[in-house]
Amino acid sequence: MCSAAHPADSLNWTELAAAIDRDGFALTPPLLTPDECAAVRDMFDDLDRFRSTVVMARHQFGEGVYRYFAHPLPDPVARLRAEFYPHLARVANTWATRLGTPAFPLDLADLHALCAAAGQHRPTPLILRYGPGGYNCLHQDLYGEVVFPLQLAIMLNTPDADFTGGENVFVEQRPRAQSRPMVARPTLGQGMIFTVRDRPVPSPTRTWRRVTLRHGVSEIHTGSRHTLALIFHDAE
Ligand SMILES: [Fe+2]
């Protein structure tokens, strides 16, 4: 197995932006080495690193457990967030221009200042763990008025070796049309960039219209599946 990890600056952002525009999500090359994936998986059991734990069944969110990191965010969480944000902000700002909405700052610290002004102070990066029977209901990760429109999730296990089942599911809702289902199956260390809430698509009658995306995870049949999810806006 190739153990190289690709820094954000080395990715083909023209291709990625085109895929995100077309489908609302895109897979990246591996962003973490197998050793880095193992190290992040191991963080899950180190409770001091986290500000809260959510047992999904208690909220009818699905079946599994996730934990939100506390500050200071560890490496590679902080590094990946800082590396990816400027690239994703350019995609977000193309969308903002199309939709006639305010642009996002190109610096992550400035996004967090906007969040703080709206009462959103808590960090949102998280690790999710699912066992057999685990799943995640379709949802959107909204934590207040400030919503950065793209997020990044990284697969921390090897599909078909560490777990079976457990595909990433996306459902796109277009106005007055039936929903479009899509499935992604990232390999170890691979990233998925996807739409948090909605994005502009060309409209036959107007220049651009919004389509919404919800995401979830299908049932894990066997084994254990971990994901690192990097949301860029802070939470209330
Ligand atoms: Fe999510």
Side-chain angles (χ1 to χ4, degrees):
M1 177 191 293
C2 171
S3 62
H6 297 253
D9 285 349
S10 74
L11 303 182
N12 183 337
W13 283 99
T14 306
E15 239 173 51
L16 284 173
I20 298 165
D21 264 346
R22 186 183 60 241
D23 295 326
F25 74 95
L27 289 171
T28 73
L31 305 177
L32 295 177
T33 65
D35 284 350
E36 287 172 321
C37 290
V40 177
R41 286 197 308 267
D42 288 346
M43 289 179 191
F44 192 85
D45 293 314
D46 184 359
L47 294 181
D48 288 345
R49 294 181 177 277
F50 299 95
R51 67 173 175 83
S52 68
T53 292
V54 176
V55 177
M56 295 168 67
R58 286 186 196 151
H59 307 273
Q60 296 183 306
F61 291 165
E63 183 68 46
V65 176
Y66 56 83
R67 302 194 203 282
Y68 290 103
F69 281 99
H71 281 309
L73 299 176
D75 265 333
V77 178
R79 172 176 64 78
L80 284 167
R81 229 182 170 202
E83 274 184 17
F84 272 80
Y85 181 77
H87 295 284
L88 298 180
R90 286 186 196 99
V91 178
N93 285 344
T94 301
W95 291 358
T97 302
R98 290 171 181 169
L99 293 169
T101 54
F104 291 91
L106 292 177
D107 187 316
L108 185 57
D110 292 335
L111 176 73
H112 290 156
L114 288 179
C115 290
Q120 295 168 234
H121 298 279
R122 298 189 299 161
T124 45
L126 67 156
I127 304 180
L128 304 100
R129 174 185 278 173
Y130 308 95
Y135 65 97
N136 195 338
C137 296
L138 292 171
H139 68 279
Q140 296 180 321
D141 295 302
L142 307 176
Y143 296 94
E145 178 192 323
V146 178
V147 178
F148 184 75
L150 289 157
Q151 69 188 76
L152 171 66
I154 299 172
M155 171 52 71
L156 300 175
N157 288 103
T158 303
D160 296 328
D162 295 344
F163 68 94
T164 60
E167 291 170 310
N168 286 84
V169 178
F170 299 96
V171 176
E172 180 181 273
Q173 176 69 59
R174 297 186 175 225
R176 296 173 299 283
Q178 291 182 328
S179 298
R180 175 164 74 128
M182 295 168 282
V183 170
R185 195 160 172 72
T187 57
L188 180 70
Q190 212 175 1
M192 269 177 309
I193 299 167
F194 57 95
T195 307
V196 170
R197 181 172 60 189
D198 54 28
R199 75 183 198 283
V201 298
S203 157
T205 52
R206 287 183 297 142
T207 311
W208 298 97
R209 64 179 176 176
R210 288 174 192 266
V211 297
T212 62
L213 193 76
R214 291 183 296 151
H215 62 274
V217 175
S218 69
E219 186 179 322
I220 284 81
H221 300 314
T222 59
S224 176
R225 181 192 193 275
H226 300 75
T227 316
L228 171 64
L230 302 180
I231 295 148
F232 291 87
H233 42 267
D234 285 330
E236 282 178 344

